[in-house]
C-alpha cells in the first residue's frame, strides 16, 4: 500500500467524482483509477461503488477511510518533523478563524508565514471557537483564533491572549439612540437583537453581560455571518453587539460604546500535546501582526 494511493482514495471520497479527484491530485483520471483498483485488489475489498454518473463509498470504504486519513497525516507529519530538523518547514498548516477576527491581521500574518516557509501548504477554515478547540485537541487543526467570554479560558489547548475588547452597540442610522455618546445595557432592554445562535461562544459574552446587569433582552434573529447581522441592522429589523473593528465605517450604521457591555477575549490557540513545527512557526509570526488593543 502506497501513500499516493491513500491520497487518491481520500480525494475520491471527498469529491465523490473520479475526474475531480484526479484534477485535485494533478494526475490523469486513468492513472488515479488504476491505482485505486490496484489498492482494492491488494486489500481484497471494494472501496467505492461507482457507475458512469455516481460514486459512493462502500461500507468497507467508509470503515477504511478514518485509518487511511490518519496514516496519511502521520506520514506527512513525519516528513515535516524531519524537514524541520534541517531548518526547513514542510507539510500543511491548518488554521481556523472565527468570523469576527479583529485582534490579528490574519492575511498579513499568512503572507509573512508563506514568505518565510514557502514549502508549507496553508489551509484556512471558518467556524466556532468550541469546534476549533476540539479539532486542535483531536489533531485535525493546528492553530486557531478564538473569541471567548472573559470568564471562559481555552481548554485542552495552549494559547495566548491576543486582545480583550468591549463590544459596541450597532444601530441603524436614525435610531432613537443613535445620537448618544455612550449607552448602558438597560438602554437597550426594549430592542430586538440579532446574535449568534444560543450557546455559541460568540454569543456567550453578550448573554452573560445582560444577565449580570439584570436586564432581559429579546434575540429575534440568530445568524452566523457578520454581514447578515449588519444587513438586518441596516434594515432596522434589529440591533447588534459587535466589535467596533468588525463594523468599521459603513454607510447606514452607527456604533456606540456600551459602558457595561460584553467583554470578549480573543486567543491564539495551538496544540498543548504535540504542536507541529509549522504551528509553532505561525505562532511566532502572528506575534508581529496583532492589531486590537487590550481594554479593561
Amino acid at each position: 500500500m502506497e501513500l499516493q494511493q491513500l491520497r487518491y482514495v481520500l480525494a475520491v471520497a471527498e469529491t465523490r467524482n473520479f475526474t475531480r479527484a484526479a484534477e485535485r491530485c494533478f494526475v490523469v483520471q486513468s492513472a488515479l483509477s488504476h491505482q485505486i483498483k490496484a489498492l482494492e485488489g491488494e486489500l481484497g475489498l471494494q472501496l467505492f461503488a461507482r457507475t458512469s454518473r455516481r460514486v459512493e463509498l462502500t461500507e468497507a470504504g467508509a470503515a477504511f477511510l478514518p485509518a487511511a486519513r490518519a496514516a496519511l497525516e502521520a506520514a506527512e507529519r513525519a516528513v515535516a518533523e524531519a524537514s524541520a530538523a534541517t531548518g526547513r518547514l514542510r507539510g500543511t498548516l491548518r488554521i481556523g478563524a472565527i468570523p469576527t477576527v479583529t485582534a490579528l491581521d490574519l492575511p498579513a500574518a499568512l503572507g509573512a508565514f508563506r514568505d518565510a516557509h514557502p514549502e508549507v501548504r496553508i489551509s484556512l477554515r471558518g467556524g466556532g471557537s468550541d469546534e476549533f478547540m476540539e479539532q486542535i485537541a483531536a489533531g485535525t487543526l493546528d492553530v486557531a483564533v478564538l473569541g471567548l467570554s472573559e470568564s471562559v479560558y481555552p481548554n485542552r489547548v495552549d494559547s495566548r491572549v491576543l486582545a480583550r475588547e468591549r463590544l459596541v452597540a450597532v444601530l441603524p442610522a436614525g435610531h432613537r439612540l443613535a445620537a448618544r455618546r455612550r449607552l448602558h445595557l438597560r438602554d437597550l432592554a426594549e430592542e430586538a437583537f440579532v446574535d449568534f445562535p444560543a450557546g455559541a461562544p460568540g454569543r456567550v459574552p453578550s448573554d452573560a453581560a445582560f444577565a449580570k446587569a439584570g436586564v432581559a433582552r429579546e434575540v429575534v434573529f440568530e445568524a452566523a455571518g457578520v454581514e447578515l447581522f449588519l444587513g438586518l441592522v441596516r434594515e432596522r429589523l434589529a440591533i447588534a453587539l459587535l466589535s467596533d473593528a468588525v463594523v468599521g465605517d459603513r454607510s447606514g450604521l452607527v456604533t456606540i460604546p456600551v459602558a457595561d457591555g460584553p467583554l470578549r477575549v480573543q486567543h491564539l490557540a495551538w496544540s498543548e500535546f504535540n504542536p507541529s513545527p509549522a504551528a509553532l512557526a505561525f505562532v511566532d509570526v502572528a506575534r508581529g501582526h496583532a492589531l486590537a488593543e487590550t481594554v479593561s
Side-chain angles (χ1 to χ4, degrees), residues 206-223:
S206 296
D207 285 345
F210 273 94
K212 182 178 180 180
V215 177
R217 69 162 178 159
E218 182 181 14
V219 177
V220 178
F221 300 100
E222 292 185 344

PDB file of all heavy atoms in Angstrom, residues 206-223:
ATOM      1  N   SER A 206     -22.334  38.257  25.408  1.00  0.00           N
ATOM      2  CA  SER A 206     -23.485  39.161  25.460  1.00  0.00           C
ATOM      3  C   SER A 206     -24.543  38.652  26.426  1.00  0.00           C
ATOM      4  O   SER A 206     -25.095  39.419  27.231  1.00  0.00           O
ATOM      5  CB  SER A 206     -24.085  39.326  24.054  1.00  0.00           C
ATOM      6  OG  SER A 206     -23.162  39.954  23.197  1.00  0.00           O
ATOM      7  N   ASP A 207     -24.838  37.351  26.365  1.00  0.00           N
ATOM      8  CA  ASP A 207     -25.821  36.791  27.300  1.00  0.00           C
ATOM      9  C   ASP A 207     -25.358  36.974  28.741  1.00  0.00           C
ATOM     10  O   ASP A 207     -26.155  37.310  29.632  1.00  0.00           O
ATOM     11  CB  ASP A 207     -26.031  35.309  27.010  1.00  0.00           C
ATOM     12  CG  ASP A 207     -26.872  35.058  25.766  1.00  0.00           C
ATOM     13  OD1 ASP A 207     -27.517  36.009  25.290  1.00  0.00           O
ATOM     14  OD2 ASP A 207     -26.870  33.917  25.271  1.00  0.00           O
ATOM     15  N   ALA A 208     -24.055  36.778  28.978  1.00  0.00           N
ATOM     16  CA  ALA A 208     -23.525  36.913  30.338  1.00  0.00           C
ATOM     17  C   ALA A 208     -23.602  38.358  30.820  1.00  0.00           C
ATOM     18  O   ALA A 208     -23.917  38.620  31.987  1.00  0.00           O
ATOM     19  CB  ALA A 208     -22.079  36.424  30.380  1.00  0.00           C
ATOM     20  N   ALA A 209     -23.317  39.295  29.932  1.00  0.00           N
ATOM     21  CA  ALA A 209     -23.348  40.705  30.320  1.00  0.00           C
ATOM     22  C   ALA A 209     -24.765  41.144  30.679  1.00  0.00           C
ATOM     23  O   ALA A 209     -24.980  41.862  31.666  1.00  0.00           O
ATOM     24  CB  ALA A 209     -22.791  41.564  29.188  1.00  0.00           C
ATOM     25  N   PHE A 210     -25.751  40.729  29.887  1.00  0.00           N
ATOM     26  CA  PHE A 210     -27.139  41.103  30.196  1.00  0.00           C
ATOM     27  C   PHE A 210     -27.593  40.443  31.495  1.00  0.00           C
ATOM     28  O   PHE A 210     -28.305  41.066  32.299  1.00  0.00           O
ATOM     29  CB  PHE A 210     -28.061  40.708  29.038  1.00  0.00           C
ATOM     30  CG  PHE A 210     -28.159  41.748  27.964  1.00  0.00           C
ATOM     31  CD1 PHE A 210     -27.336  41.688  26.847  1.00  0.00           C
ATOM     32  CD2 PHE A 210     -29.051  42.801  28.066  1.00  0.00           C
ATOM     33  CE1 PHE A 210     -27.409  42.650  25.856  1.00  0.00           C
ATOM     34  CE2 PHE A 210     -29.135  43.772  27.085  1.00  0.00           C
ATOM     35  CZ  PHE A 210     -28.308  43.701  25.967  1.00  0.00           C
ATOM     36  N   ALA A 211     -27.207  39.195  31.712  1.00  0.00           N
ATOM     37  CA  ALA A 211     -27.582  38.524  32.963  1.00  0.00           C
ATOM     38  C   ALA A 211     -26.968  39.227  34.166  1.00  0.00           C
ATOM     39  O   ALA A 211     -27.624  39.423  35.196  1.00  0.00           O
ATOM     40  CB  ALA A 211     -27.134  37.058  32.910  1.00  0.00           C
ATOM     41  N   LYS A 212     -25.694  39.621  34.036  1.00  0.00           N
ATOM     42  CA  LYS A 212     -25.014  40.317  35.132  1.00  0.00           C
ATOM     43  C   LYS A 212     -25.677  41.652  35.438  1.00  0.00           C
ATOM     44  O   LYS A 212     -25.778  42.064  36.608  1.00  0.00           O
ATOM     45  CB  LYS A 212     -23.541  40.521  34.775  1.00  0.00           C
ATOM     46  CG  LYS A 212     -22.728  41.196  35.862  1.00  0.00           C
ATOM     47  CD  LYS A 212     -21.272  41.320  35.450  1.00  0.00           C
ATOM     48  CE  LYS A 212     -20.442  41.996  36.532  1.00  0.00           C
ATOM     49  NZ  LYS A 212     -18.999  42.114  36.115  1.00  0.00           N
ATOM     50  N   ALA A 213     -26.150  42.328  34.372  1.00  0.00           N
ATOM     51  CA  ALA A 213     -26.803  43.629  34.550  1.00  0.00           C
ATOM     52  C   ALA A 213     -28.253  43.492  34.999  1.00  0.00           C
ATOM     53  O   ALA A 213     -28.903  44.496  35.338  1.00  0.00           O
ATOM     54  CB  ALA A 213     -26.729  44.431  33.254  1.00  0.00           C
ATOM     55  N   GLY A 214     -28.788  42.268  34.999  1.00  0.00           N
ATOM     56  CA  GLY A 214     -30.180  42.060  35.382  1.00  0.00           C
ATOM     57  C   GLY A 214     -31.148  42.608  34.363  1.00  0.00           C
ATOM     58  O   GLY A 214     -32.259  43.027  34.703  1.00  0.00           O
ATOM     59  N   VAL A 215     -30.741  42.611  33.108  1.00  0.00           N
ATOM     60  CA  VAL A 215     -31.560  43.157  32.029  1.00  0.00           C
ATOM     61  C   VAL A 215     -31.942  42.034  31.077  1.00  0.00           C
ATOM     62  O   VAL A 215     -31.078  41.273  30.621  1.00  0.00           O
ATOM     63  CB  VAL A 215     -30.792  44.254  31.256  1.00  0.00           C
ATOM     64  CG1 VAL A 215     -31.629  44.768  30.089  1.00  0.00           C
ATOM     65  CG2 VAL A 215     -30.408  45.393  32.182  1.00  0.00           C
ATOM     66  N   ALA A 216     -33.228  41.920  30.776  1.00  0.00           N
ATOM     67  CA  ALA A 216     -33.693  40.922  29.816  1.00  0.00           C
ATOM     68  C   ALA A 216     -33.600  41.501  28.407  1.00  0.00           C
ATOM     69  O   ALA A 216     -33.714  42.717  28.207  1.00  0.00           O
ATOM     70  CB  ALA A 216     -35.128  40.520  30.123  1.00  0.00           C
ATOM     71  N   ARG A 217     -33.363  40.645  27.447  1.00  0.00           N
ATOM     72  CA  ARG A 217     -33.365  41.113  26.059  1.00  0.00           C
ATOM     73  C   ARG A 217     -33.990  40.042  25.176  1.00  0.00           C
ATOM     74  O   ARG A 217     -34.057  38.864  25.543  1.00  0.00           O
ATOM     75  CB  ARG A 217     -31.962  41.428  25.573  1.00  0.00           C
ATOM     76  CG  ARG A 217     -31.064  40.222  25.390  1.00  0.00           C
ATOM     77  CD  ARG A 217     -29.871  40.543  24.511  1.00  0.00           C
ATOM     78  NE  ARG A 217     -28.990  39.376  24.384  1.00  0.00           N
ATOM     79  CZ  ARG A 217     -28.117  39.214  23.407  1.00  0.00           C
ATOM     80  NH1 ARG A 217     -27.991  40.157  22.470  1.00  0.00           N
ATOM     81  NH2 ARG A 217     -27.347  38.147  23.343  1.00  0.00           N
ATOM     82  N   GLU A 218     -34.418  40.441  23.994  1.00  0.00           N
ATOM     83  CA  GLU A 218     -35.049  39.528  23.044  1.00  0.00           C
ATOM     84  C   GLU A 218     -34.176  39.402  21.805  1.00  0.00           C
ATOM     85  O   GLU A 218     -33.910  40.387  21.112  1.00  0.00           O
ATOM     86  CB  GLU A 218     -36.438  40.037  22.644  1.00  0.00           C
ATOM     87  CG  GLU A 218     -37.155  39.096  21.694  1.00  0.00           C
ATOM     88  CD  GLU A 218     -38.531  39.617  21.285  1.00  0.00           C
ATOM     89  OE1 GLU A 218     -38.808  40.804  21.525  1.00  0.00           O
ATOM     90  OE2 GLU A 218     -39.304  38.825  20.708  1.00  0.00           O
ATOM     91  N   VAL A 219     -33.703  38.177  21.553  1.00  0.00           N
ATOM     92  CA  VAL A 219     -32.945  37.905  20.330  1.00  0.00           C
ATOM     93  C   VAL A 219     -33.938  37.384  19.297  1.00  0.00           C
ATOM     94  O   VAL A 219     -34.409  36.251  19.379  1.00  0.00           O
ATOM     95  CB  VAL A 219     -31.825  36.875  20.576  1.00  0.00           C
ATOM     96  CG1 VAL A 219     -31.103  36.554  19.266  1.00  0.00           C
ATOM     97  CG2 VAL A 219     -30.839  37.407  21.615  1.00  0.00           C
ATOM     98  N   VAL A 220     -34.255  38.219  18.341  1.00  0.00           N
ATOM     99  CA  VAL A 220     -35.260  37.893  17.331  1.00  0.00           C
ATOM    100  C   VAL A 220     -34.665  37.089  16.187  1.00  0.00           C
ATOM    101  O   VAL A 220     -35.306  36.206  15.622  1.00  0.00           O
ATOM    102  CB  VAL A 220     -35.904  39.191  16.794  1.00  0.00           C
ATOM    103  CG1 VAL A 220     -36.937  38.882  15.704  1.00  0.00           C
ATOM    104  CG2 VAL A 220     -36.572  39.958  17.926  1.00  0.00           C
ATOM    105  N   PHE A 221     -33.415  37.407  15.842  1.00  0.00           N
ATOM    106  CA  PHE A 221     -32.743  36.734  14.734  1.00  0.00           C
ATOM    107  C   PHE A 221     -31.460  36.082  15.232  1.00  0.00           C
ATOM    108  O   PHE A 221     -30.711  36.688  15.992  1.00  0.00           O
ATOM    109  CB  PHE A 221     -32.389  37.731  13.622  1.00  0.00           C
ATOM    110  CG  PHE A 221     -33.575  38.443  13.028  1.00  0.00           C
ATOM    111  CD1 PHE A 221     -33.884  39.733  13.424  1.00  0.00           C
ATOM    112  CD2 PHE A 221     -34.374  37.814  12.084  1.00  0.00           C
ATOM    113  CE1 PHE A 221     -34.969  40.398  12.876  1.00  0.00           C
ATOM    114  CE2 PHE A 221     -35.467  38.469  11.533  1.00  0.00           C
ATOM    115  CZ  PHE A 221     -35.769  39.766  11.924  1.00  0.00           C
ATOM    116  N   GLU A 222     -31.213  34.860  14.782  1.00  0.00           N
ATOM    117  CA  GLU A 222     -29.944  34.182  15.035  1.00  0.00           C
ATOM    118  C   GLU A 222     -29.248  33.962  13.701  1.00  0.00           C
ATOM    119  O   GLU A 222     -29.872  33.523  12.734  1.00  0.00           O
ATOM    120  CB  GLU A 222     -30.161  32.843  15.740  1.00  0.00           C
ATOM    121  CG  GLU A 222     -30.681  32.995  17.161  1.00  0.00           C
ATOM    122  CD  GLU A 222     -30.765  31.659  17.881  1.00  0.00           C
ATOM    123  OE1 GLU A 222     -30.714  30.610  17.199  1.00  0.00           O
ATOM    124  OE2 GLU A 222     -30.883  31.654  19.124  1.00  0.00           O
ATOM    125  N   ALA A 223     -27.964  34.288  13.638  1.00  0.00           N
ATOM    126  CA  ALA A 223     -27.212  34.166  12.390  1.00  0.00           C
ATOM    127  C   ALA A 223     -25.770  33.844  12.708  1.00  0.00           C
ATOM    128  O   ALA A 223     -25.307  34.036  13.837  1.00  0.00           O
ATOM    129  CB  ALA A 223     -27.308  35.454  11.574  1.00  0.00           C
TER     130      ALA A 223
END
